[in-house]
């Protein structure tokens, strides 16, 4: 006689429970936005749901499903939840000269870093984290690179070629997980940059998050390490050097989005070494934006006047 496992039936949430869950998701997203669905999942662990164990993604899947429902039904703004995977490659196009001037006025940015001794960029482990960091990198005018796991050789080589066109010391702020793969990314990227740059690149690679101090605080949600990861042995050595448990890991989403953005902003600001020059260019940027606005206004008036003139006989 054969036996098979009995299916496990979990009680379905009532309508009231679903509405309560959505209200909690809204409150978390409103405070943390812009953020990823994974960040919201981590922010609710221990209070709204337990951390998924083993290979289960049950609670995370509920978060993703309900956030999708809420956005599609207009109960939460789309822009609160980031998705860095949508990449479009297309030249900028405009409906008219007036449209082009309007866009230029809105987006004009001076390269304020031209006045500083170092070039600054931000590298992160995933597209979802990139969406969380984008408001800060945009505000400070620095590049944001998403490694999407371990960066390809081509990806890093193209970055190095770009650096060498403007020979300047480079500081790269990195945001990634504290686990075997996450810790290997900055080492690998830094090593490739040094190799592809043939020793011509002055590189300072700074880990902004997750740091050993973050893990040491004991305030972040952890998970078991995959000991089969090819990078585990090196990770184990790093953890023991920091007096940390090598069997535990922390994903960057365990840090509150607001904390990540604040920490990154402070790190970037600290790299400005000539404040007077920065402020001078910043004032010039404002004046030039006003000039573009004036030009846009005059072109718009000229085009309206031209369209209202009677046709020549």
């Amino acid at each position: 006689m054969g036996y098979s496992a009995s299916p496990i039936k979990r009680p379905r949430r009532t309508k009231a429970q679903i509405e309560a869950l959505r209200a909690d998701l809204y409150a978390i997203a409103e405070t943390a936005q812009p953020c990823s669905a994974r960040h919201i999942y981590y922010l609710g662990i221990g209070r709204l749901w337990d951390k998924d164990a083993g290979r289960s993604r049950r609670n995370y899947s509920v978060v993703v499903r309900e956030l999708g429902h809420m956005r599609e039904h207009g109960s939460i703004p789309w822009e609160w939840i980031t998705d860095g995977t949508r990449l479009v490659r297309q030249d900028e196009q405009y409906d008219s000269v007036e449209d082009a001037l309007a866009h230029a006025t809105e987006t004009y940015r001076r390269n304020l870093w031209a006045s500083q001794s170092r070039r600054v960029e931000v590298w992160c482990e995933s597209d979802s984290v990139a969406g969380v960091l984008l408001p800060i990198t945009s505000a400070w005018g620095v590049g944001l690179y998403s490694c999407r796991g371990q960066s390809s050789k081509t990806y890093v080589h193209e970055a190095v070629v770009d650096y060498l066109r403007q020979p300047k010391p480079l500081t790269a702020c990195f945001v990634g997980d504290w686990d075997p793969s996450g810790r290997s990314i900055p080492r690998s990227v830094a090593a490739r940059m040094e190799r592809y740059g043939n020793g011509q690149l002055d590189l300072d690679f700074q880990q902004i998050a997750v740091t050993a101090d973050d893990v040491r605080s004991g305030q972040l949600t952890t998970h078991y390490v995959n000991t089969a990861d090819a990078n585990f042995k090196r990770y184990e050595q790093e953890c023991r050097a920091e007096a940390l448990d090598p069997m535990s890991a922390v994903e960057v989403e365990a840090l509150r989005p607001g904390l990540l953005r604040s920490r990154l902003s402070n790190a970037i600001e600290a790299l400005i070494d000539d404040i007077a020059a920065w402020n001078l260019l910043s004032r010039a940027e404002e004046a030039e934006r006003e000039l573009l606005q004036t030009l846009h206004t005059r072109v718009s008036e000229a085009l309206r006047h031209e369209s209202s003139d009677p046709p020549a006989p």
Side-chain angles (χ1 to χ4, degrees), residues 9-258:
K9 295 183 178 179
R10 295 185 174 92
R12 295 174 65 88
R13 286 184 174 89
T14 65
K15 183 176 180 180
Q17 288 173 327
I18 291 175
E19 290 305 317
L21 173 62
R22 290 172 182 169
D24 286 328
L25 289 172
Y26 183 96
I28 293 175
E30 183 180 31
T31 301
Q33 55 93 11
C35 62
S36 66
R38 192 159 187 80
H39 258 117
I40 291 179
Y41 160 72
Y42 266 96
L43 291 170
I45 289 176
R47 182 169 64 88
L48 299 176
W49 46 74
D50 294 328
K51 188 178 187 301
D52 290 322
R55 296 186 178 182
S56 170
R57 294 293 181 268
R58 179 173 179 268
N59 291 328
Y60 176 63
S61 296
V62 170
V63 172
V64 172
R65 184 189 69 219
E66 292 304 323
L67 287 174
H69 173 91
M70 294 168 71
R71 281 175 288 171
E72 288 179 346
H73 288 78
S75 55
I76 190 173
W78 284 93
E79 60 270 19
W80 285 9
I81 310 301
T82 65
D83 179 7
T85 62
R86 185 176 182 271
L87 179 62
V88 180
R89 292 181 173 87
Q90 182 179 4
D91 291 338
E92 196 75 51
Q93 300 175 38
Y94 305 97
D95 294 334
S96 65
V97 171
E98 185 179 6
D99 181 38
L101 282 171
H103 183 265
T105 302
E106 293 170 1
T107 61
Y108 176 71
R109 297 288 299 274
R110 262 268 194 165
N111 178 15
L112 304 185
W113 291 99
S115 65
Q116 305 303 300
S117 64
R118 301 190 71 85
R119 175 171 177 163
V120 176
E121 289 183 348
V122 176
W123 288 63
C124 62
E125 188 169 347
S126 67
D127 291 323
S128 63
V129 175
V132 173
L133 304 177
L134 184 58
I136 300 304
T137 56
S138 294
W140 285 108
V142 300
L144 176 58
Y145 287 72
S146 174
C147 299
R148 298 183 180 179
Q150 193 62 263
S151 294
S152 71
K153 294 178 175 63
T154 299
Y155 189 77
V156 178
H157 182 267
E158 289 177 351
V160 171
V161 170
D162 184 40
Y163 301 149
L164 295 179
R165 291 194 190 102
Q166 308 171 52
K168 216 177 196 184
L170 168 69
T171 294
C173 300
F174 179 73
V175 175
D177 299 338
W178 185 275
D179 63 13
S181 294
R183 293 298 298 144
S184 73
I185 291 172
R187 290 196 304 269
S188 174
V189 170
R192 289 176 180 176
M193 284 184 174
E194 295 288 354
R195 188 162 70 252
Y196 300 157
N198 294 319
Q200 301 176 51
L201 186 62
D202 182 348
L203 174 66
D204 175 27
F205 220 93
Q206 300 182 1
Q207 181 102 13
I208 303 302
V210 176
T211 66
D213 285 340
D214 289 327
V215 181
R216 194 175 290 113
S217 72
Q219 298 178 357
L220 302 176
T221 301
T222 62
H223 63 85
Y224 288 113
V225 168
N226 175 17
T227 57
D229 191 307
N231 301 293
F232 175 72
K233 187 174 182 180
R234 180 70 176 270
Y235 174 76
E236 183 180 26
Q237 294 171 347
E238 282 188 309
C239 286
R240 297 204 184 284
E242 294 285 353
L244 297 174
D245 180 6
M247 299 308 296
S248 292
V250 175
E251 293 187 17
V252 71
E253 286 86 357
L255 276 73
R256 291 181 290 104

